[in-house]
Amino acid sequence: MSIKKILKIAFSLLMLFVIIQFIPYGKNHINPPLLSEPKWDSSQTSGTFYRVCGDCHSNKTTWPWYSRIAPVSWLVQSDVDEGRSKLNVSEWGRAEKNKGNEAADEVKDGGMPPFIYTPLHPEAKMSQSEKEEFIKGLILTFGENKQK
């Protein structure tokens, strides 16, 4: 492949990258107001939840710098939208968002936090003992998923 062709491809990719920055999806970084919270079993469970899960499962999302750059912004927005739709502790009492009884199982099975989240958010990593305490706290706060 000639240098001219490589430069053309690189320029085209650069232009595509610039153009996608104008797509508005992924740039609406709002945090709706807190409506109500669950009755946490302890401040430790609440603190761990907000540190490990709060960016996607509450209205207290911290939007990192890379969440403003497409196409990563699309992925971040999608994760937050999906997380809030399944469990949102800032809108506790709204039935469609109260799947808290599944939270302990998700953490226990390793589904939460997602593997892609912790490298970018090292504060979300838990030791085994912290994870066990967190699971107990989630069960005491939300109950258990009895259908497993």
Side-chain angles (χ1 to χ4, degrees):
M1 200 181 300
S2 72
I3 190 81
K4 196 172 186 179
K5 190 165 185 153
I6 291 171
L7 287 174
K8 252 186 189 178
I9 291 170
F11 181 75
S12 296
L13 289 173
L14 178 63
M15 292 311 302
L16 178 63
F17 179 77
V18 169
I19 289 168
I20 67 173
Q21 300 313 307
F22 293 99
I23 296 173
Y25 182 75
K27 308 255 196 262
N28 187 13
H29 296 155
I30 59 164
N31 285 326
L34 174 91
L35 299 179
S36 64
E37 278 193 300
K39 188 174 188 299
W40 297 100
D41 77 301
S42 69
S43 60
Q44 181 180 350
T45 301
S46 172
T48 303
F49 183 90
Y50 279 107
R51 179 174 56 85
V52 176
C53 314
D55 278 341
C56 292
H57 296 288
S58 78
N59 292 347
K60 296 181 180 180
T61 304
T62 301
W63 299 96
W65 65 269
Y66 53 83
S67 69
R68 291 166 177 75
I69 302 170
V72 176
S73 61
W74 306 339
L75 298 171
V76 173
Q77 186 71 57
S78 175
D79 286 347
V80 171
D81 291 347
E82 182 181 354
R84 286 178 179 173
S85 75
K86 291 182 178 178
L87 172 65
N88 188 341
V89 298
S90 298
E91 297 182 7
W92 200 247
R94 291 180 63 184
E96 74 273 9
K97 294 188 179 193
N98 285 346
K99 296 184 181 174
N101 63 334
E102 299 172 8
D105 285 340
E106 286 290 331
V107 174
K108 196 182 305 181
D109 296 343
M112 289 290 149
F115 75 94
I116 198 160
Y117 185 78
T118 51
L120 297 171
H121 302 271
E123 70 280 0
K125 292 180 184 170
M126 295 181 280
S127 67
Q128 188 58 38
S129 63
E130 185 180 23
K131 183 177 178 180
E132 289 168 8
E133 284 301 310
F134 185 47
I135 291 167
K136 288 178 192 172
L138 290 172
I139 291 169
L140 289 171
T141 300
F142 301 126
E144 285 185 271
N145 185 7
K146 302 290 186 193
Q147 299 173 350
K148 206 166 184 198

